[in-house]
Amino acid sequence: MSSATAPVGIFDSGVGGLTVLQALRHRLPRERFIYLGDTARLPYGTKSAESVVRYSTQAASFLVGCGIKYLVVACNTASSVALKDLRERFEPLPVVGVIEPGAQAACESSRSGHIAVIATEGTIRGGAYQNAIAAKLPNAVLATRACSLFVALAEEGWTEGEIVEGTARRYLSDPITEDPQIDTLLLGCTHFPVLRATLHRVVGERVPIVDSAHTTAAVLAADLTARELHASPTQSGSVRFLATDSGERFARVGSLFLGERVAAEEVELVDL
Ligand code: DGL
């Protein structure tokens, strides 16, 4: 039986999921989190669904071995192809992904039902956002676009400037100009929130930008309470960082995504 004092496990293909961790910590400051970034195998977004399911299962197994009470799949690509497998394999461990919460955020934001979704190649190809949005808003009209280069730019720390803006215009101009009714841009990838300021300039203030982080935190908070698994008001929150490759790079790039400094010494190297 899971105990309320056990940690919440969260994994991503790399450091991008730290944008989700940031929202979780903000919402649930008393929880203990274990964050695993599978940096040795990043990116997941260009890999086959079979590989992503295998990697995700290994990452989840490792966290389950750490005694977690809840699993958060922060990676959109992993959530889109591996969530069902993970739920079945690790039952009764509760597992939440970021697709449903992201779709919910987009549907709540859009008045016209015309939504642009940007994500990795794997996430767009798998159709998980398309299905999740259609289930909530059957008349939704979607423009989807795989924006693989954004992952590399964000990893490089290039979040502003002419190269990023030019890349964003190239990816986004067509969908946005072809459908002037688009009134929401959903960031369906962990790496994209750090590009938000640039994306705002490209799509214009008329189009709000939403992502999964805050809705995922809200879903987790509600479910922890429903299952009586939430941390007690006296528990101190903490984070343990695990990575499958270079702690130094995790700390350097991860600090940008988390919005606060991560020291290389805090990152434990693990083998899945
Ligand atoms: N974490 C991935 C996602 O959210 C982006 C990086 C990758 O391709 O692994 O889809």
Side-chain angles (χ1 to χ4, degrees):
M1 255 333 235
S2 295
S3 117
T5 55
V8 172
I10 164 167
F11 85 86
D12 178 44
S13 54
V15 291
L18 292 170
T19 54
V20 178
L21 178 66
Q22 185 187 39
L24 300 185
R25 284 172 76 198
H26 186 76
R27 181 78 186 227
L28 298 159
R30 303 250 163 240
E31 294 294 340
R32 298 164 54 215
F33 292 99
I34 305 182
Y35 180 95
L36 169 60
D38 190 8
T39 42
R41 298 188 290 199
L42 176 103
Y44 283 10
T46 49
K47 308 263 165 41
S48 68
E50 293 73 27
S51 294
V52 174
V53 170
R54 193 170 72 249
Y55 297 166
S56 302
T57 306
Q58 290 167 350
S61 292
F62 191 92
L63 290 169
V64 168
C66 297
I68 57 171
K69 64 182 176 185
Y70 212 110
L71 178 67
V72 180
V73 183
C75 178
N76 290 259
T77 310
S79 295
S80 68
V81 299
L83 201 66
K84 188 166 165 285
D85 279 63
L86 295 175
R87 284 194 171 130
E88 283 169 12
R89 184 181 282 258
F90 298 104
E91 207 191 345
L93 179 75
V95 182
V96 68
V98 287
I99 302 288
E100 281 290 323
Q104 188 187 325
C107 294
E108 281 168 7
S109 154
S110 179
R111 292 282 154 269
S112 66
H114 291 237
I115 298 167
V117 182
I118 58 172
T120 63
E121 204 181 298
T123 301
I124 297 294
R125 192 182 50 226
Y129 270 118
Q130 292 90 320
N131 295 337
I133 292 173
K136 291 176 198 305
L137 212 61
N139 295 328
V141 178
L142 298 190
T144 58
R145 191 97 210 220
C147 301
S148 309
L149 282 179
F150 284 167
V151 173
L153 290 168
E155 286 272 323
E156 200 59 29
W158 291 11
T159 57
E160 306 234 23
E162 59 185 283
I163 293 176
V164 190
E165 201 161 319
T167 310
R169 285 196 194 285
R170 178 80 191 261
Y171 278 135
L172 295 176
S173 293
D174 286 355
I176 299 291
T177 49
E178 269 164 27
D179 182 355
Q181 289 197 68
I182 287 177
D183 67 353
T184 295
L185 173 66
L186 170 60
L187 308 184
C189 174
T190 51
H191 281 59
F192 299 176
V194 296
L195 305 173
R196 193 181 286 265
T198 298
L199 296 175
H200 256 307
R201 268 197 297 281
V202 171
V203 298
E205 291 305 321
R206 182 185 70 74
V207 180
I209 298 180
V210 298
D211 63 47
S212 310
H214 293 99
T215 28
T216 303
V219 170
L220 176 65
D223 205 29
L224 284 173
T225 303
R227 294 172 188 268
E228 299 188 358
L229 281 177
H230 56 279
S232 79
T234 54
Q235 183 173 295
S236 316
S238 63
V239 187
R240 192 176 151 204
F241 296 107
L242 311 176
T244 52
D245 192 31
S246 169
E248 185 280 324
R249 185 174 166 80
F250 181 103
R252 182 164 40 84
V253 184
S255 302
L256 169 74
F257 287 85
L258 189 62
E260 66 183 73
R261 188 173 176 271
V262 180
E265 309 75 62
E266 288 178 73
V267 186
E268 297 167 46
L269 214 53
V270 297
D271 192 2
L272 306 182

